[in-house]
Amino acid sequence: NGEAGQVLPKVERRVSWAKHGAAPAGESLVIPGAAVNGALAHRIAFHANRMRGEPVWADDVENANLLADYDKSEHCEAVRELFGYANDSSGDELLGQVGRVIIDDSYRTFSQQDLQKLTHNSIDRFSGSARDHMLFCEEMVWGGGIEIKLTIHTHEGISQLARDALQAALDDLLKGQLALGAGSAKGHGYFSGSIKWSTGAEKWLQGESA
């Protein structure tokens, strides 16, 4: 058929349990919680740096090596507060911290009617032109809704700066200003939606007790 290959969405077989046992396993589209975590963490670092009393911008850093070595998990306190950081032992002192924001994996069932295929030309990396007889198809799950569950352990100390940065990053995601997954340059992975907070969560974001 002239196709060099296919790019397919990430799917996973799941068992659906009921009172009388397990239903037949079917394939579902997978949205890994770690992928959502990573995208939010990058945007939270941006918002936290701009919201500081003395904002931190890349253009203000004179030493280029500081930018090259920048890591949001090490150098942004808001990200460390919300998502934790790896255990780095120094002698008998353990410096790791568990994350206070937990994002579950999400699944979406779909049918053949939900699938769309886009055919692309393969591009020559040297000339930038299309390669003869080299095509590939990209299969996408189109439309429908996805529910993502986010749990925040509010009993732990999280600064107001981290809360504000989290709210701003979530707003970006729901307004189509933050993409999840690959292909964002082609318009993939952008969402619109809304947040349904549990009782007291909105007050907690504003600095009150949950």
Side-chain angles (χ1 to χ4, degrees), residues 37 129-130 134:
N37 182 314
S129 60
M134 296 295 290

Side-chain angles (χ1 to χ4, degrees), residues 11-124:
V11 295
E12 188 174 280
R13 294 182 65 81
R14 301 178 66 207
V15 176
S16 179
W17 293 96
K19 291 183 179 180
H20 303 293
E27 287 190 336
S28 300
L29 178 69
V30 183
I31 299 89
V36 183
N37 182 314
L40 284 177
H42 277 283
R43 189 56 60 89
I44 286 169
F46 164 75
H47 285 303
N49 284 331
R50 76 171 178 83
M51 290 175 174
R52 289 175 50 174
E54 295 183 4
V56 177
W57 303 101
D59 292 343
D60 298 332
V61 179
E62 297 180 357
N63 188 342
N65 291 328
L66 294 179
L67 289 178
D69 295 336
Y70 178 80
D71 185 282
K72 67 183 186 305
S73 299
E74 295 182 12
H75 302 123
C76 181
E77 190 60 33
V79 173
R80 292 163 66 88
E81 290 178 22
L82 294 169
F83 296 109
Y85 45 92
N87 182 14
D88 181 14
S89 60
S90 176
D92 295 330
E93 184 181 4
L94 299 180
L95 305 178
Q97 171 65 55
V98 67
R100 291 150 178 162
V101 175
I102 309 299
I103 302 175
D104 294 350
D105 292 345
S106 299
Y107 299 89
R108 182 197 183 295
T109 57
F110 60 92
S111 65
Q112 287 295 323
Q113 287 71 33
D114 299 319
L115 297 178
Q116 299 287 338
K117 284 189 177 182
L118 294 179
T119 302
H120 301 276
N121 289 308
S122 179
I123 302 300
D124 188 293

